[in-house]
Amino acid sequence: MESVIRDPTLAPEGHMKIGWAAAHSPVLAAVRERRLKDGTFEGLGVAVALPVEAKTAYLAVVLAEAGARVAVAAPLPSVVQDDVAAALAERGVSVFANSEGSPEDADRWMELALEAATSAGEAVLIDDRAGLTRIAHTTRRRLLPHFRGASEETTSGVARLRAMEAEGVLEFPVLAANDARCKHLFDNRYGTGQSTLTALMQSTNLMLGGKRVVVLGYGWCGRGIARYAAGLGARVTVCEVDPVRGLEAYADGFDVLPALEAASFGEVFVTATGNLHVLGEEHFGRMRDGAILANAGGVDVEIDVGWLRAVAEEVREVRRHVEEFVMPDGRRLRLVGGGMVVNLTAGDGHPVEIMDLTFAIQALCAHRLANHAASMDSRVHLLPPELDEEVARLKLEAVGMGVDSLTAEQRRFLAGWRE
Ligand code: NAI
Protein backbone atom coordinates (compact mmCIF):
# COMPACT_ATOMS: atom_id res chain seq x y z
CA MET A 1 0.00 0.00 0.00
CA GLU A 2 1.25 3.50 -0.87
CA SER A 3 2.74 5.34 2.10
CA VAL A 4 1.31 8.66 3.31
CA ILE A 5 4.22 10.93 4.21
CA ARG A 6 5.00 14.63 3.94
CA ASP A 7 8.07 14.75 1.72
CA PRO A 8 10.09 11.82 0.32
CA THR A 9 13.10 14.07 -0.40
CA LEU A 10 13.74 14.33 3.37
CA ALA A 11 14.88 10.68 3.45
CA PRO A 12 18.70 11.20 3.65
CA GLU A 13 18.52 12.92 7.07
CA GLY A 14 16.13 10.18 8.21
CA HIS A 15 18.53 7.42 7.15
CA MET A 16 21.28 9.06 9.23
CA LYS A 17 19.02 9.18 12.29
CA ILE A 18 18.01 5.53 11.87
CA GLY A 19 21.68 4.58 11.47
CA TRP A 20 22.52 6.32 14.75
CA ALA A 21 19.68 4.51 16.54
CA ALA A 22 20.80 1.17 15.09
CA ALA A 23 24.39 1.78 16.18
CA HIS A 24 23.23 2.24 19.79
CA SER A 25 20.77 -0.65 19.97
CA PRO A 26 22.85 -3.74 20.81
CA VAL A 27 20.04 -5.47 22.69
CA LEU A 28 17.53 -5.36 19.86
CA ALA A 29 20.31 -6.50 17.50
CA ALA A 30 21.04 -9.46 19.79
CA VAL A 31 17.33 -10.36 20.01
CA ARG A 32 17.20 -10.26 16.21
CA GLU A 33 20.12 -12.69 15.97
CA ARG A 34 18.88 -15.04 18.70
CA ARG A 35 15.13 -15.10 18.12
CA LEU A 36 13.82 -13.26 15.10
CA LYS A 37 15.57 -15.28 12.40
CA ASP A 38 13.48 -18.43 12.97
CA GLY A 39 10.97 -17.66 10.21
CA THR A 40 8.19 -16.61 12.59
CA PHE A 41 7.70 -13.29 10.84
CA GLU A 42 7.94 -14.58 7.26
CA GLY A 43 4.81 -13.24 5.53
CA LEU A 44 3.23 -12.06 8.78
CA GLY A 45 1.85 -8.52 9.04
CA VAL A 46 2.96 -6.24 11.86
CA ALA A 47 1.02 -3.00 12.35
CA VAL A 48 2.90 -0.53 14.53
CA ALA A 49 1.45 2.63 16.10
CA LEU A 50 4.30 4.50 17.75
CA PRO A 51 5.96 7.91 17.47
CA VAL A 52 7.56 7.97 14.04
CA GLU A 53 11.14 8.73 14.96
CA ALA A 54 14.44 6.93 14.58
CA LYS A 55 14.13 4.28 17.29
CA THR A 56 10.68 3.17 16.12
CA ALA A 57 12.02 3.13 12.57
CA TYR A 58 14.86 0.82 13.57
CA LEU A 59 12.37 -1.58 15.21
CA ALA A 60 10.32 -1.53 12.00
CA VAL A 61 13.43 -2.23 9.92
CA VAL A 62 14.43 -5.16 12.16
CA LEU A 63 10.94 -6.69 11.87
CA ALA A 64 10.89 -6.15 8.10
CA GLU A 65 14.31 -7.80 7.78
CA ALA A 66 12.89 -10.76 9.71
CA GLY A 67 10.32 -11.14 6.92
CA ALA A 68 7.34 -9.19 8.31
CA ARG A 69 5.03 -6.99 6.26
CA VAL A 70 5.42 -3.91 8.43
CA ALA A 71 3.07 -0.91 8.45
CA VAL A 72 3.79 2.02 10.75
CA ALA A 73 1.24 4.68 11.68
CA ALA A 74 1.76 7.74 13.85
CA PRO A 75 -0.75 7.92 16.72
CA LEU A 76 -0.49 11.75 16.58
CA PRO A 77 0.90 14.14 13.94
CA SER A 78 2.94 15.90 16.63
CA VAL A 79 5.06 12.77 17.17
CA VAL A 80 6.16 12.46 13.53
CA GLN A 81 9.64 13.26 12.24
CA ASP A 82 9.05 13.61 8.51
CA ASP A 83 12.62 12.78 7.55
CA VAL A 84 12.43 9.46 9.41
CA ALA A 85 9.01 8.71 7.86
CA ALA A 86 10.51 9.33 4.41
CA ALA A 87 13.53 7.12 5.08
CA LEU A 88 11.38 4.31 6.40
CA ALA A 89 9.10 4.44 3.37
CA GLU A 90 12.20 4.28 1.16
CA ARG A 91 13.18 1.07 2.96
CA GLY A 92 9.96 -0.61 1.87
CA VAL A 93 7.93 -0.18 5.07
CA SER A 94 4.38 1.20 4.67
CA VAL A 95 4.33 4.48 6.57
CA PHE A 96 1.31 6.60 7.45
CA ALA A 97 2.62 9.70 9.17
CA ASN A 98 2.81 13.41 8.41
CA SER A 99 3.73 16.05 10.98
CA GLU A 100 1.34 18.49 9.31
CA GLY A 101 -1.70 16.21 9.62
CA SER A 102 -4.61 16.59 12.04
CA PRO A 103 -5.61 14.32 14.97
CA GLU A 104 -8.41 12.96 12.73
CA ASP A 105 -5.79 12.04 10.13
CA ALA A 106 -4.02 9.97 12.78
CA ASP A 107 -7.07 7.71 13.16
CA ARG A 108 -7.11 7.31 9.40
CA TRP A 109 -3.39 6.43 9.39
CA MET A 110 -3.97 3.73 11.99
CA GLU A 111 -6.83 2.33 9.88
CA LEU A 112 -4.52 2.28 6.85
CA ALA A 113 -1.78 0.52 8.85
CA LEU A 114 -4.27 -2.17 9.91
CA GLU A 115 -5.35 -2.58 6.28
CA ALA A 116 -1.76 -2.74 5.01
CA ALA A 117 -0.64 -5.22 7.67
CA THR A 118 -3.53 -7.57 6.90
CA SER A 119 -3.41 -7.12 3.11
CA ALA A 120 -1.85 -10.57 2.61
CA GLY A 121 -2.75 -12.49 5.75
CA GLU A 122 -2.66 -12.32 9.53
CA ALA A 123 -0.99 -9.68 11.63
CA VAL A 124 0.11 -8.75 15.13
CA LEU A 125 -0.15 -5.23 16.51
CA ILE A 126 2.45 -3.18 18.36
CA ASP A 127 0.23 -0.59 19.94
CA ASP A 128 0.45 2.79 21.68
CA ARG A 129 -2.32 3.87 24.06
CA ALA A 130 -4.42 1.06 22.56
CA GLY A 131 -5.06 3.15 19.43
CA LEU A 132 -4.82 0.29 16.93
CA THR A 133 -6.77 -2.03 19.22
CA ARG A 134 -9.57 0.55 19.62
CA ILE A 135 -9.82 0.94 15.84
CA ALA A 136 -9.67 -2.84 15.30
CA HIS A 137 -12.65 -3.16 17.67
CA THR A 138 -14.66 -0.29 16.14
CA THR A 139 -14.24 1.03 12.59
CA ARG A 140 -12.22 -1.97 11.34
CA ARG A 141 -14.12 -4.81 13.01
CA ARG A 142 -14.19 -6.71 9.73
CA LEU A 143 -10.42 -7.17 10.08
CA LEU A 144 -10.67 -8.64 13.60
CA PRO A 145 -10.27 -12.29 12.54
CA HIS A 146 -6.90 -11.38 11.00
CA PHE A 147 -5.29 -10.16 14.22
CA ARG A 148 -3.40 -12.66 16.34
CA GLY A 149 -2.98 -10.19 19.18
CA ALA A 150 -1.46 -6.91 20.30
CA SER A 151 1.46 -5.79 22.40
CA GLU A 152 0.92 -2.54 24.33
CA GLU A 153 3.60 0.08 24.94
CA THR A 154 2.14 2.43 27.56
CA THR A 155 0.74 2.48 31.10
CA SER A 156 -2.37 4.32 29.88
CA GLY A 157 -2.85 1.85 27.02
CA VAL A 158 -2.62 -1.15 29.36
CA ALA A 159 -5.21 0.50 31.65
CA ARG A 160 -7.58 0.91 28.69
CA LEU A 161 -7.05 -2.66 27.54
CA ARG A 162 -7.74 -3.96 31.06
CA ALA A 163 -10.96 -1.88 30.98
CA MET A 164 -11.88 -3.57 27.68
CA GLU A 165 -11.11 -6.97 29.21
CA ALA A 166 -13.26 -6.19 32.27
CA GLU A 167 -16.16 -5.19 30.01
CA GLY A 168 -15.74 -8.46 28.09
CA VAL A 169 -15.20 -6.67 24.76
CA LEU A 170 -11.54 -7.52 24.10
CA GLU A 171 -11.47 -9.91 21.15
CA PHE A 172 -7.79 -10.91 20.97
CA PRO A 173 -4.96 -11.52 23.46
CA VAL A 174 -2.76 -8.64 24.52
CA LEU A 175 0.74 -8.66 25.97
CA ALA A 176 1.39 -5.75 28.34
CA ALA A 177 4.88 -4.82 27.11
CA ASN A 178 4.74 -1.82 29.45
CA ASP A 179 4.50 -4.09 32.46
CA ALA A 180 7.71 -5.96 31.65
CA ARG A 181 10.35 -4.87 34.17
CA CYS A 182 12.84 -4.06 31.42
CA LYS A 183 10.26 -1.63 30.04
CA HIS A 184 8.73 0.48 32.79
CA LEU A 185 11.67 0.45 35.22
CA PHE A 186 13.87 2.07 32.59
CA ASP A 187 11.70 3.64 29.88
CA ASN A 188 9.06 5.22 32.11
CA ARG A 189 11.48 6.23 34.85
CA TYR A 190 14.88 7.11 33.34
CA GLY A 191 13.69 7.63 29.77
CA THR A 192 10.86 9.99 30.65
CA GLY A 193 13.01 11.66 33.31
CA GLN A 194 15.87 12.56 31.00
CA SER A 195 13.87 13.31 27.85
CA THR A 196 11.19 15.42 29.54
CA LEU A 197 13.78 17.69 31.09
CA THR A 198 15.79 17.83 27.86
CA ALA A 199 12.64 18.87 25.98
CA LEU A 200 11.80 21.51 28.61
CA MET A 201 15.29 22.95 28.61
CA GLN A 202 15.62 22.94 24.83
CA SER A 203 12.23 24.55 24.24
CA THR A 204 12.55 27.24 26.88
CA ASN A 205 16.35 27.69 27.01
CA LEU A 206 15.82 28.41 30.73
CA MET A 207 17.76 27.12 33.69
CA LEU A 208 16.24 24.55 36.02
CA GLY A 209 18.68 24.96 38.89
CA GLY A 210 16.97 26.80 41.75
CA LYS A 211 13.53 26.70 40.10
CA ARG A 212 10.50 25.41 41.95
CA VAL A 213 9.46 22.42 39.86
CA VAL A 214 6.14 20.73 40.64
CA VAL A 215 5.78 17.12 39.47
CA LEU A 216 2.22 15.79 39.42
CA GLY A 217 2.12 12.01 39.74
CA TYR A 218 4.86 9.96 41.42
CA GLY A 219 4.56 6.79 39.40
CA TRP A 220 7.39 5.46 37.25
CA CYS A 221 7.46 8.56 35.07
CA GLY A 222 7.03 11.07 37.90
CA ARG A 223 9.82 9.44 39.90
CA GLY A 224 12.18 9.86 36.96
CA ILE A 225 11.18 13.46 36.26
CA ALA A 226 11.52 14.45 39.94
CA ARG A 227 14.89 12.74 40.23
CA TYR A 228 16.37 14.34 37.11
CA ALA A 229 14.97 17.77 38.00
CA ALA A 230 16.51 17.51 41.48
CA GLY A 231 19.78 16.42 39.86
CA LEU A 232 19.77 19.67 37.91
CA GLY A 233 19.35 21.65 41.11
CA ALA A 234 15.59 22.30 40.95
CA ARG A 235 13.57 22.51 44.18
CA VAL A 236 11.04 19.75 43.58
CA THR A 237 7.54 19.39 45.00
CA VAL A 238 5.50 16.28 44.28
CA CYS A 239 1.68 16.10 44.11
CA GLU A 240 0.00 12.70 44.42
CA VAL A 241 -3.38 11.13 45.18
CA ASP A 242 -1.86 7.88 46.45
CA PRO A 243 -0.62 8.48 50.03
CA VAL A 244 1.96 5.68 49.84
CA ARG A 245 3.52 7.13 46.70
CA GLY A 246 3.34 10.56 48.33
CA LEU A 247 5.21 9.16 51.32
CA GLU A 248 7.75 7.56 49.00
CA ALA A 249 8.34 10.97 47.39
CA TYR A 250 8.81 12.47 50.87
CA ALA A 251 11.31 9.73 51.78
CA ASP A 252 13.12 10.42 48.50
CA GLY A 253 13.63 13.97 49.73
CA PHE A 254 10.84 15.92 48.04
CA ASP A 255 8.12 18.15 49.46
CA VAL A 256 4.69 16.61 49.01
CA LEU A 257 1.70 18.94 48.83
CA PRO A 258 -1.80 19.11 47.35
CA ALA A 259 -1.75 20.48 43.81
CA LEU A 260 -3.76 23.58 44.69
CA GLU A 261 -1.15 24.57 47.26
CA ALA A 262 1.77 23.90 44.91
CA ALA A 263 -0.02 25.87 42.17
CA SER A 264 0.65 29.13 43.98
CA PHE A 265 4.45 28.84 44.13
CA GLY A 266 5.49 26.51 41.28
CA GLU A 267 7.52 27.93 38.43
CA VAL A 268 7.50 24.80 36.27
CA PHE A 269 4.70 22.20 36.37
CA VAL A 270 5.04 18.74 34.82
CA THR A 271 2.12 16.30 34.81
CA ALA A 272 2.75 12.53 34.61
CA THR A 273 -0.42 10.85 35.85
CA GLY A 274 -2.32 9.52 32.82
CA ASN A 275 -5.36 11.25 34.34
CA LEU A 276 -7.82 13.94 33.29
CA HIS A 277 -7.47 17.65 34.18
CA VAL A 278 -4.82 17.27 36.83
CA LEU A 279 -4.14 20.95 36.23
CA GLY A 280 -7.30 22.94 35.56
CA GLU A 281 -9.14 26.19 36.13
CA GLU A 282 -8.58 26.36 39.89
CA HIS A 283 -4.85 25.69 39.58
CA PHE A 284 -4.40 28.16 36.72
CA GLY A 285 -6.20 30.80 38.82
CA ARG A 286 -3.49 30.56 41.51
CA MET A 287 -0.40 30.33 39.31
CA ARG A 288 2.32 32.96 39.18
CA ASP A 289 2.93 35.10 36.15
CA GLY A 290 5.28 33.22 33.80
CA ALA A 291 4.54 29.72 35.11
CA ILE A 292 5.61 27.01 32.65
CA LEU A 293 3.35 23.99 32.07
CA ALA A 294 4.16 20.69 30.39
CA ASN A 295 2.65 17.24 30.23
CA ALA A 296 4.72 14.06 30.14
CA GLY A 297 1.78 11.70 30.67
CA GLY A 298 0.44 9.54 27.90
CA VAL A 299 -2.90 11.35 27.56
CA ASP A 300 -3.20 14.91 26.27
CA VAL A 301 -5.94 15.95 28.72
CA GLU A 302 -3.85 16.14 31.91
CA ILE A 303 -3.59 19.91 31.50
CA ASP A 304 -6.98 21.46 30.70
CA VAL A 305 -5.69 23.23 27.60
CA GLY A 306 -9.26 23.65 26.30
CA TRP A 307 -10.07 25.89 29.27
CA LEU A 308 -6.88 27.90 28.79
CA ARG A 309 -7.68 28.47 25.12
CA ALA A 310 -11.26 29.45 25.91
CA VAL A 311 -10.48 32.08 28.55
CA ALA A 312 -7.12 33.48 27.39
CA GLU A 313 -7.27 37.07 26.13
CA GLU A 314 -4.48 36.21 23.77
CA VAL A 315 -2.51 33.11 22.76
CA ARG A 316 0.82 33.62 21.05
CA GLU A 317 3.80 31.48 20.12
CA VAL A 318 6.79 32.85 22.04
CA ARG A 319 9.32 30.19 21.04
CA ARG A 320 9.13 27.02 18.98
CA HIS A 321 6.93 24.61 21.00
CA VAL A 322 6.06 27.29 23.60
CA GLU A 323 2.68 29.05 23.63
CA GLU A 324 1.92 31.94 25.95
CA PHE A 325 -1.62 32.30 27.28
CA VAL A 326 -2.42 35.82 28.49
CA MET A 327 -5.04 35.52 31.24
CA PRO A 328 -7.76 38.18 31.69
CA ASP A 329 -5.85 39.50 34.77
CA GLY A 330 -2.66 39.91 32.71
CA ARG A 331 -0.75 36.86 34.05
CA ARG A 332 1.03 34.83 31.39
CA LEU A 333 1.03 31.02 31.52
CA ARG A 334 3.40 29.25 29.16
CA LEU A 335 2.57 25.84 27.76
CA VAL A 336 5.29 23.65 26.25
CA GLY A 337 4.43 21.09 23.59
CA GLY A 338 0.73 21.94 23.38
CA GLY A 339 -0.14 19.84 26.46
CA MET A 340 0.71 16.69 24.52
CA VAL A 341 3.46 14.31 25.56
CA VAL A 342 6.26 16.87 25.79
CA ASN A 343 9.31 14.69 25.34
CA LEU A 344 8.00 13.62 21.95
CA THR A 345 6.23 16.75 20.71
CA ALA A 346 9.06 19.06 21.77
CA GLY A 347 11.95 16.60 21.77
CA ASP A 348 13.47 13.45 20.34
CA GLY A 349 11.80 11.08 22.81
CA HIS A 350 13.66 8.74 25.10
CA PRO A 351 17.40 8.14 24.77
CA VAL A 352 18.29 5.45 22.24
CA GLU A 353 19.66 3.02 24.84
CA ILE A 354 16.35 3.12 26.70
CA MET A 355 14.34 2.39 23.58
CA ASP A 356 16.76 -0.41 22.77
CA LEU A 357 15.44 -2.18 25.88
CA THR A 358 11.82 -1.24 25.22
CA PHE A 359 11.90 -2.37 21.62
CA ALA A 360 13.75 -5.58 22.47
CA ILE A 361 10.76 -6.27 24.75
CA GLN A 362 8.33 -5.28 21.97
CA ALA A 363 10.06 -7.54 19.45
CA LEU A 364 9.86 -10.44 21.92
CA CYS A 365 6.18 -9.69 22.57
CA ALA A 366 5.38 -9.63 18.84
CA HIS A 367 7.34 -12.86 18.36
CA ARG A 368 5.50 -14.53 21.24
CA LEU A 369 2.09 -13.40 20.00
CA ALA A 370 2.93 -14.62 16.50
CA ASN A 371 3.72 -18.08 17.88
CA HIS A 372 1.42 -18.52 20.86
CA ALA A 373 -1.63 -16.26 20.40
CA ALA A 374 -3.81 -19.23 19.42
CA SER A 375 -3.42 -20.69 22.91
CA MET A 376 -3.85 -17.37 24.77
CA ASP A 377 -7.20 -16.07 26.07
CA SER A 378 -8.52 -12.71 24.92
CA ARG A 379 -7.22 -10.81 27.92
CA VAL A 380 -4.17 -8.84 29.03
CA HIS A 381 -1.15 -11.10 29.66
CA LEU A 382 2.34 -10.48 31.02
CA LEU A 383 5.51 -11.35 29.17
CA PRO A 384 7.05 -14.45 30.77
CA PRO A 385 9.71 -13.28 33.28
CA GLU A 386 12.49 -15.32 31.63
CA LEU A 387 12.17 -13.17 28.48
CA ASP A 388 12.34 -10.01 30.59
CA GLU A 389 15.47 -11.41 32.24
CA GLU A 390 16.96 -12.30 28.86
CA VAL A 391 16.73 -8.63 27.84
CA ALA A 392 18.41 -7.51 31.08
CA ARG A 393 21.22 -10.05 30.63
CA LEU A 394 21.78 -8.98 27.03
CA LYS A 395 22.03 -5.33 28.09
CA LEU A 396 24.42 -6.12 30.94
CA GLU A 397 26.53 -8.15 28.50
CA ALA A 398 26.53 -5.25 26.04
CA VAL A 399 27.97 -2.92 28.68
CA GLY A 400 30.51 -5.48 29.89
CA MET A 401 28.73 -6.31 33.14
CA GLY A 402 27.02 -9.40 34.47
CA VAL A 403 25.22 -10.98 37.41
CA ASP A 404 25.69 -14.20 39.35
CA SER A 405 23.49 -17.29 39.25
CA LEU A 406 22.03 -19.02 42.29
CA THR A 407 23.80 -22.25 43.26
CA ALA A 408 21.69 -25.39 43.57
CA GLU A 409 22.19 -25.17 47.34
CA GLN A 410 20.97 -21.56 47.44
CA ARG A 411 17.95 -22.45 45.35
CA ARG A 412 17.03 -25.25 47.78
CA PHE A 413 17.55 -22.91 50.74
CA LEU A 414 15.32 -20.21 49.28
CA ALA A 415 12.60 -22.68 48.34
CA GLY A 416 12.61 -24.52 51.66
CA TRP A 417 11.65 -23.78 55.28
CA ARG A 418 13.57 -26.29 57.43
CA GLU A 419 16.97 -24.56 57.40
P1 NAI B 1 1.89 5.09 37.13
O1 NAI B 1 0.55 4.44 37.19
O2 NAI B 1 3.09 4.37 37.65
O3 NAI B 1 1.83 6.52 37.86
C1 NAI B 1 0.81 7.45 37.74
C2 NAI B 1 0.71 8.16 39.09
O4 NAI B 1 -0.16 9.28 38.98
C3 NAI B 1 0.13 7.26 40.21
O5 NAI B 1 1.03 7.22 41.30
C4 NAI B 1 -1.19 7.93 40.55
O6 NAI B 1 -1.51 7.81 41.92
C5 NAI B 1 -0.90 9.38 40.18
N1 NAI B 1 -2.10 10.19 39.92
C6 NAI B 1 -3.26 9.85 39.30
N2 NAI B 1 -4.12 10.88 39.31
C7 NAI B 1 -3.48 11.90 39.94
C8 NAI B 1 -3.85 13.24 40.24
N3 NAI B 1 -5.05 13.73 39.92
N4 NAI B 1 -2.95 14.02 40.90
C9 NAI B 1 -1.73 13.54 41.25
N5 NAI B 1 -1.34 12.27 40.99
C10 NAI B 1 -2.20 11.48 40.33
O7 NAI B 1 2.09 5.47 35.59
P2 NAI B 1 3.45 5.84 34.82
O8 NAI B 1 4.05 4.61 34.27
O9 NAI B 1 4.24 6.76 35.66
O10 NAI B 1 2.82 6.63 33.58
C11 NAI B 1 2.18 7.88 33.75
C12 NAI B 1 1.70 8.37 32.39
O11 NAI B 1 2.83 8.61 31.54
C13 NAI B 1 0.83 7.35 31.64
O12 NAI B 1 -0.13 8.06 30.92
C14 NAI B 1 1.82 6.68 30.71
O13 NAI B 1 1.19 6.11 29.59
C15 NAI B 1 2.69 7.85 30.34
N6 NAI B 1 4.04 7.54 29.86
C16 NAI B 1 4.67 8.55 29.20
C17 NAI B 1 5.93 8.36 28.71
C18 NAI B 1 6.61 9.45 27.96
O14 NAI B 1 7.47 9.16 27.15
N7 NAI B 1 6.30 10.69 28.20
C19 NAI B 1 6.65 7.08 28.87
C20 NAI B 1 5.92 6.10 29.66
C21 NAI B 1 4.65 6.34 30.12
Side-chain angles (χ1 to χ4, degrees):
M1 193 181 284
E2 182 103 3
S3 288
V4 176
I5 55 172
R6 183 157 78 82
D7 181 358
T9 66
L10 299 173
E13 179 80 20
H15 287 304
M16 272 203 293
K17 289 182 176 176
I18 299 170
W20 180 262
H24 295 88
S25 298
V27 183
L28 182 53
V31 165
R32 178 190 60 200
E33 295 307 309
R34 292 166 70 123
R35 300 230 176 227
L36 307 188
K37 289 187 162 169
D38 62 356
T40 294
F41 286 108
E42 287 298 339
L44 184 70
V46 181
V48 179
L50 286 171
V52 177
E53 48 77 61
K55 285 92 74 182
T56 300
Y58 180 54
L59 171 67
V61 167
V62 165
L63 293 169
E65 282 171 0
R69 189 172 53 255
V70 184
V72 178
L76 277 175
S78 57
V79 297
V80 177
Q81 295 189 10
D82 293 305
D83 48 4
V84 172
L88 201 48
E90 215 169 75
R91 292 189 188 199
V93 170
S94 303
V95 186
F96 308 102
N98 179 339
S99 68
E100 294 180 347
S102 68
E104 296 73 44
D105 288 334
D107 268 13
R108 176 81 191 125
W109 297 334
M110 288 192 276
E111 288 173 352
L112 287 170
L114 293 178
E115 299 274 359
T118 52
S119 60
E122 295 194 334
V124 295
L125 314 181
I126 296 182
D127 211 353
D128 183 27
R129 290 201 293 160
L132 290 172
T133 304
R134 171 177 54 83
I135 288 169
H137 284 74
T138 52
T139 56
R140 285 298 180 277
R141 283 195 71 78
R142 67 181 161 75
L143 298 177
L144 266 175
H146 301 292
F147 301 124
R148 291 194 192 170
S151 170
E152 171 56 46
E153 172 86 356
T154 66
T155 312
S156 288
V158 171
R160 282 172 187 191
L161 291 160
R162 291 211 163 100
M164 287 178 77
E165 178 189 328
E167 266 184 43
V169 296
L170 189 60
E171 298 202 28
F172 48 64
V174 169
L175 273 171
N178 177 75
D179 294 2
R181 288 192 297 164
C182 278
K183 199 283 182 178
H184 64 267
L185 289 180
F186 305 99
D187 174 312
N188 301 28
R189 181 168 43 175
Y190 303 109
T192 312
Q194 177 174 322
S195 59
T196 297
L197 294 179
T198 308
L200 270 174
M201 290 188 293
Q202 263 172 4
S203 335
T204 62
N205 198 214
L206 295 175
M207 184 175 160
L208 277 169
K211 288 233 169 32
R212 285 200 166 272
V213 173
V214 178
V215 178
L216 297 109
Y218 203 66
W220 294 109
C221 294
R223 289 178 181 115
I225 296 163
R227 175 193 167 120
Y228 277 76
L232 287 159
R235 293 181 286 165
V236 178
T237 300
V238 168
C239 306
E240 249 297 343
V241 290
D242 176 340
V244 179
R245 289 205 163 164
L247 183 57
E248 189 188 344
Y250 169 75
D252 285 342
F254 304 119
D255 289 338
V256 181
L257 288 170
L260 277 177
E261 246 175 84
S264 58
F265 62 76
E267 292 166 276
V268 179
F269 295 83
V270 186
T271 54
T273 68
N275 205 350
L276 176 76
H277 297 169
V278 177
L279 289 178
E281 176 177 354
E282 273 194 277
H283 309 91
F284 302 142
R286 295 183 179 204
M287 285 180 186
R288 298 156 54 131
D289 180 34
I292 291 169
L293 316 174
N295 168 47
V299 294
D300 54 13
V301 288
E302 297 209 23
I303 301 174
D304 190 355
V305 179
W307 186 90
L308 279 178
R309 290 204 194 287
V311 304
E313 300 267 297
E314 194 187 341
V315 184
R316 52 190 178 220
E317 189 176 12
V318 285
R319 276 178 67 87
R320 185 153 185 257
H321 301 307
V322 186
E323 285 171 290
E324 185 170 86
F325 292 79
V326 183
M327 296 288 103
D329 60 9
R331 283 174 309 125
R332 292 156 303 170
L333 303 183
R334 293 167 182 148
L335 179 69
V336 185
M340 290 170 283
V341 57
V342 70
N343 51 333
L344 286 158
T345 51
D348 256 346
H350 291 345
V352 182
E353 295 98 324
I354 292 283
M355 294 317 289
D356 184 29
L357 293 176
T358 296
F359 287 159
I361 292 285
Q362 283 288 19
L364 288 172
C365 285
H367 187 262
R368 189 164 180 82
L369 284 166
N371 286 316
H372 299 285
S375 62
M376 293 164 73
D377 301 337
S378 293
R379 58 184 181 79
V380 179
H381 301 259
L382 297 178
L383 189 67
E386 57 275 16
L387 292 176
D388 216 350
E389 284 168 19
E390 179 175 327
V391 169
R393 280 182 208 284
L394 287 170
K395 176 67 188 179
L396 284 170
E397 231 171 74
V399 292
M401 310 244 167
V403 293
D404 293 311
S405 298
L406 291 171
T407 62
E409 193 187 16
Q410 287 169 336
R411 245 181 244 289
R412 269 196 309 277
F413 177 78
L414 291 173
W417 60 276
R418 286 199 168 82
E419 289 178 58

